[in-house]
Amino acid sequence: MPTPSFTDHPASVGETYTEHMHTAAWFGWRMLVGSLACFVHALLPFLFTRTGSATIAQLHDRMVVNRVRAERAAGVQASRPA
């Protein structure tokens, strides 16, 4: 069985270990806050009416949309002559 590496996965998403730790912690915090807002909304539906969906949109934008933009920008940079 291969030995797990602390840097393989972060490198696969274009981050250092420290950058990935910061990003993952930020995502975890946002998910926790969004989750708590959803639980409160379940009990008191007049509160946090848009917090859950706004949190999901923010997380999706940061994880998927920005990564695609960064990959496209890197591809454009690599294809330009020096």
Side-chain angles (χ1 to χ4, degrees), residues 7-78:
T7 58
D8 286 347
H9 172 65
S12 75
V13 295
E15 297 173 335
T16 66
Y17 174 79
T18 306
E19 290 169 336
H20 190 71
M21 180 175 54
H22 178 266
T23 301
W26 182 86
F27 270 85
W29 177 251
R30 291 299 304 147
M31 286 191 280
L32 179 62
V33 170
S35 172
L36 293 173
C38 287
F39 280 114
V40 171
H41 176 73
L43 297 171
L44 305 167
F46 52 88
L47 294 176
F48 304 113
T49 58
R50 296 187 178 153
T51 306
S53 58
T55 300
I56 291 168
Q58 179 188 36
L59 294 172
H60 178 267
D61 186 58
R62 184 152 176 195
M63 181 179 284
V64 177
V65 176
N66 287 338
R67 182 170 295 151
V68 169
R69 285 185 198 138
E71 288 171 354
R72 286 185 185 151
V76 169
Q77 296 285 345

